[in-house]
Amino acid sequence: MKADTNPTGGSTAADWLTPSQSSIVREWLSRMSLDQKIGQMTQTERMAAEPDELKAFHLGSILSGAGSRPEGNTPADWVAMNDAYWTASMAADGDHLPIPLLYGIDAIHGNNNVRGATIFPHNIGLGAANDGALLARVAAVTKREILAAGVEWTFAPTVAVAQDYRWGRTYESYSSDTDLVTRYGHQFVTELQGDLQDDSVIACAKHFIGDGATTHGIDQGDADLTEAKLTATHLPPFKAAIDAGVLTVMASFNSWNGDKCHGHEYLLSTLLKGRLGFGGLVISDWDGIDYLSDDYTEAIALSVNAGVDLFMVSEAWREFIAGLKRNVLEGRVPITRINDAVSRILGVKVKWGLFDRPRPAERPWSDHASFGSAAHREVARDAVRKSLVLLKNEGDLLPLDSSATILVCGRNANNVGHQCGGFSLDWQGTDGNSLIEGGTSIWQGISDYTPGAELSTDPLAADADPNRHKLAVAVIGETPYAEGMGDIRASDNVLVEAGSRIRGSMKVLEPYGGSLELAKLHPEDLALLRSLAGRGIPTVAILLSGRPLVVNPELAAASAFVAAWLPGSEGKGVADVLFGEVDFSGRLPFAWPEDESDVPADGTKNPLFPRGYGLSLDG
C-alpha cells in the first residue's frame, strides 16, 4: 500500500505546529517545485557535496559522518564550514528558494567530533550512574559544545534497550532496564531541545525500533519478537521522547521478524506517526535504504512510502534524487507522500526557529569560549565518578593510600583514546593521548594524587617490585570500536541464520572477536594480572569496556575490580574514586554474565552479578 499524507488517521506534520507555524509551512510548500521538494528530502555527507551543489540541487540537509571534519577541526572551523553551506542554502533567485539547511552530527557523548571537546562517558556509564540530574547536566554541556560548532542537530539520544552483550553498540544503550532508558530518553531530549530558543539543539531519538533486540546481538540483524514484547520493552523510550517533544526520529537498520525497519510502513507510519502521534521528521540511517532491494529505485519507493521523510545518502545523492523523481512521475510514490515528508522537514525547521536565526557565524553560542572549558570538564569528571561500579574489594584494598608507592600498568592505563571508545574524533575511536586534547588518562589522574605513582609500560609489569610497590593498578579491557565492528560472533553461521530470515540484505563488518570472555579477546590482560599476583602485589583491576564481559579469571587474580565502562576524556574522575575522594555509587545497568550463556541481558539464568549490583567503600 502506498502511504498517503495521513494513512493511519494519526498525526500529520501540522498537528504539532502552532497555526502560525502551519501557515508558514503551507506557504513554503506551495512555492516549491518537485525538484525543490525532493532536494529538501535529501541529506548527504559534507565531503560529497560542496555549497554550490547544495544550492543547485536544493539539498535540505548536510551531515558529518563520524570522523568527517573540516581542516583544523576547531569550533571556529566548524562554524565557518556550516556558514558556507547556510549561505548557499539561503540564496534566493528564480531557481532557488531561501530555505535554511539543517546540519547533523553524531554528538553522542559530548561533541565528540571536534578537537578539544569535552567527551563524556558513553551511555552505558551514564546508565550505571542512574542520576537524572547528572544526565541533564551532561546534556546541557553537550548542546553548548554542539552550538559552539555552529551546528543545529545531533543524532542523539540512542534509546535502545540492549538485550545482548554481543551487540557492538551495547555501550550506546543506557541499560537493559526499559524504565531507566525511558526516563533518561525523556530527560536528555528535554534538556537538548529546551524551549527551542537559542540555547537548544535538535534531538533525534534512535533507532526505531528494536536495534537492541537482534538475535545473537548482530548489528543490523533481525529482532525476532512478538509485537507485545516489542511494544513493552522497546517502544516506551520512544514514546517518552515524543512526549518530550523530540523533533526527529531515526529509522533503524535492523529488521523486525524479517522485515527491514527502513521499509516498514506499519512501524514508521501506523505505529510511530499514527499511534504515537509523532509529527516531526523520520530520517534514514546512513545509506539505510540501500539494503531494501537490489533495485535502488525500488528501494527508494519502498522507504518513502513506508514513512521515511529525510534520506541520509552518503555519496549517491544525485542517484537518489533522480530515482525519487522517477518514482513520483511514474506513480510509484504519490505526491501526497512527498508533500507530507517535506511538510515535516519544513515543520522541524520552522518549529526550531531556523528561518528566524542568524547565520551560524552570528549565532550567540558559535565558537563560544566555554567549549572544552574547565567547567564543562568538571561535569564530565563528575559523570565518571558516578559511573564507576565496584565489583570486588578484597581486604579493603580500596581506597588507595596516597602515601604508598603504586605501580600503574596495563595497555589502557595511559591511553585517553582507549578510555573514550568509539565515536571519539573518528568513527572507530583513536589510540593514544595526542588526539583527544584537554583530557587526562587514568594514569595522569592517579599521578596527580600521589608522587608515589610509577607507570609501567611492560606488558607483564616485569618491573613490579614487591619490596617497593605496595600495590598495583592495572587498567585492562577492550580497545575502541563502533557499530558492527564491535560485534561478538562465534562464527559466521549466525549471519547465515539471520540472512535467511531477513527480506533484504545486510551490511556485514568484521567483528571485534568471537567470545565475550576477556581472556580470549585479550589474553594479555589475564597474563598481566597473574604476573602481579605471582609477585605478591595486591592489584586493583580497572576494566574499560563497552559492555559486561566474562571476567571470572581476571576477577580471581585481582584483589579489587572496578567496571569503568568507557569513561571519556576525564580520567581524573577515576582517580577521585580510587583514592576515596568520593565513594563508589555506580550500579550495574546490565546484569553481569557468569559465562557466555548468560544472554540476553534481561537474564534467563543466574548472572554473576545482578543488574543493580555495586559495592561501596563505606559498606
Side-chain angles (χ1 to χ4, degrees):
M1 181 183 77
K2 294 183 175 68
D4 206 331
T5 305
N6 186 16
T8 66
S11 176
T12 66
D15 293 341
W16 68 324
L17 302 175
T18 67
S20 175
Q21 291 170 338
S22 294
S23 178
I24 294 170
V25 169
R26 288 194 299 270
E27 170 63 21
W28 280 108
L29 190 67
S30 70
R31 297 170 59 187
M32 297 173 73
S33 67
L34 178 60
D35 286 343
Q36 290 165 340
K37 292 175 182 178
I38 291 174
Q40 282 296 306
M41 295 173 65
T42 308
Q43 179 191 70
T44 193
E45 218 282 332
R46 55 172 284 274
M47 293 189 292
E50 296 293 331
D52 60 341
E53 294 174 301
L54 175 141
K55 175 180 180 292
F57 288 88
H58 321 287
L59 302 183
S61 184
I62 296 290
L63 85 151
S64 282
S68 176
R69 51 190 179 260
E71 187 176 356
N73 196 24
T74 66
D77 297 320
W78 280 82
V79 171
M81 176 185 66
N82 195 24
D83 196 68
Y85 282 113
W86 183 94
T87 300
S89 73
M90 294 301 288
D93 55 41
D95 296 321
H96 189 265
L97 295 174
I99 300 176
L101 88 155
L102 283 173
Y103 203 108
I105 57 174
D106 277 304
I108 63 172
H109 61 140
N111 192 357
N112 43 265
N113 309 280
V114 185
R115 182 161 56 91
T118 306
I119 301 181
F120 291 93
H122 268 294
N123 285 354
I124 192 170
L126 298 178
N130 196 6
D131 185 331
L134 171 68
L135 186 78
R137 292 165 61 210
V138 169
V141 171
T142 298
K143 72 179 177 182
R144 287 176 185 137
E145 297 208 357
I146 293 169
L147 291 169
V151 172
E152 301 89 19
W153 185 13
T154 176
F155 305 129
T158 299
V159 291
V161 184
Q163 298 295 296
D164 194 316
Y165 314 118
R166 293 170 292 192
W167 187 36
R169 304 189 79 150
T170 298
Y171 64 74
E172 294 185 54
S173 174
Y174 295 117
S175 176
S176 62
D177 178 12
T178 297
D179 290 342
L180 190 153
V181 178
T182 298
R183 175 164 47 86
Y184 263 28
H186 188 281
Q187 290 173 320
F188 206 84
V189 169
T190 298
E191 184 58 48
L192 284 182
Q193 295 191 166
D195 56 5
L196 301 179
Q197 298 303 307
D198 287 342
D199 188 16
S200 71
V201 297
I202 296 170
C204 182
K206 66 181 189 183
H207 309 82
F208 196 81
I209 183 175
D211 55 345
T214 58
T215 303
H216 303 298
I218 298 172
D219 191 48
Q220 304 184 19
D222 184 52
D224 183 10
L225 298 174
T226 65
E227 184 167 359
K229 179 68 172 176
L230 183 78
T231 56
T233 302
H234 303 279
L235 190 62
F238 288 98
K239 183 180 185 304
I242 292 168
D243 291 344
V246 73
L247 297 180
T248 69
V249 170
M250 184 179 290
S252 183
F253 265 120
N254 69 276
S255 302
W256 177 43
N257 296 332
D259 294 316
K260 299 188 79 66
C261 293
H262 271 76
H264 210 300
E265 186 174 7
Y266 174 76
L267 291 178
L268 299 179
S269 291
T270 302
L271 182 57
L272 177 60
K273 294 180 176 179
R275 194 180 305 165
L276 296 185
F278 176 61
L281 71 85
V282 175
I283 184 171
S284 77
D285 206 335
W286 182 274
D287 294 331
I289 65 172
D290 292 20
Y291 309 98
L292 295 176
S293 171
D294 292 336
D295 183 327
Y296 192 52
T297 301
E298 180 184 32
I300 294 169
L302 288 170
S303 196
V304 174
N305 287 331
V308 174
D309 304 305
L310 180 60
F311 290 81
M312 189 186 293
V313 184
S314 65
E315 296 180 5
W317 55 271
R318 290 178 180 82
E319 291 86 346
F320 170 80
I321 288 173
L324 181 51
K325 185 173 183 178
R326 189 179 313 118
N327 277 317
V328 175
L329 295 178
E330 295 177 2
R332 288 182 292 272
V333 173
I335 192 63
T336 49
R337 175 76 269 271
I338 298 296
N339 289 340
D340 178 48
V342 178
S343 294
R344 290 172 179 273
I345 295 164
L346 294 175
V348 168
K349 294 182 177 184
V350 169
K351 196 171 183 72
W352 192 67
L354 190 59
F355 284 87
D356 301 320
R357 294 176 193 258
R359 62 193 303 162
E362 297 175 357
R363 293 174 189 168
W365 284 98
S366 289
D367 196 23
H368 198 272
S370 64
F371 183 89
S373 65
H376 285 187
R377 294 186 183 280
E378 180 55 36
V379 176
R381 185 173 175 178
D382 193 32
V384 175
R385 291 191 287 247
K386 293 179 177 178
S387 70
L388 304 179
V389 180
L390 180 60
L391 298 179
K392 180 182 180 181
N393 191 23
E394 188 177 86
D396 293 330
L397 185 59
L398 293 172
L400 299 179
D401 180 358
S402 60
S403 67
T405 302
I406 301 171
L407 184 72
V408 182
C409 55
R411 59 196 157 73
N412 291 335
N414 191 27
N415 198 313
V416 182
H418 284 193
Q419 69 194 39
C420 286
F423 287 101
S424 301
L425 285 186
D426 287 317
W427 177 39
Q428 295 295 323
T430 65
D431 181 26
N433 295 338
S434 61
L435 296 177
I436 309 293
E437 297 182 5
T440 55
S441 69
I442 294 172
W443 149 251
Q444 290 165 340
I446 292 173
S447 63
D448 283 348
Y449 263 92
T450 172
E454 299 177 0
L455 179 66
S456 172
T457 58
D458 185 85
L460 294 178
D463 46 349
D465 183 353
N467 295 318
R468 293 186 59 250
H469 300 122
K470 181 178 179 181
L471 55 91
V473 175
V475 189
I476 61 175
E478 295 182 312
T479 55
Y481 54 80
E483 300 188 49
M485 294 184 75
D487 281 4
I488 296 294
R489 291 201 300 268
S491 73
D492 287 341
N493 291 336
V494 296
L495 294 176
V496 174
E497 176 189 337
S500 68
R501 290 184 50 84
I502 295 173
R503 286 171 280 280
S505 59
M506 296 172 59
K507 182 178 181 180
V508 178
L509 299 173
E510 189 70 23
Y512 187 81
S515 172
L516 282 171
E517 294 183 29
L518 180 60
K520 292 180 179 178
L521 293 172
H522 293 287
E524 63 273 24
D525 289 343
L526 181 57
L528 170 63
L529 294 175
R530 285 179 171 169
S531 173
L532 292 165
R535 289 176 167 82
I537 300 175
T539 300
V540 180
I542 309 294
L543 177 70
L544 301 187
S545 71
R547 54 192 153 208
L549 296 168
V550 177
V551 291
N552 297 353
E554 291 83 1
L555 272 166
S559 299
F561 200 98
V562 178
W565 315 110
L566 299 170
S569 59
E570 306 311 303
K572 285 184 178 180
V574 176
D576 291 336
V577 185
L578 294 181
F579 283 94
E581 187 74 18
V582 294
D583 202 351
F584 286 90
S585 60
R587 299 295 180 261
L588 292 178
F590 295 85
W592 199 280
E594 183 169 16
D595 57 50
E596 294 204 73
S597 68
D598 284 334
V599 291
D602 57 5
T604 55
K605 295 190 175 183
N606 293 321
L608 184 63
F609 302 111
R611 188 175 66 202
Y613 179 85
L615 302 174
S616 299
L617 296 178
D618 62 6

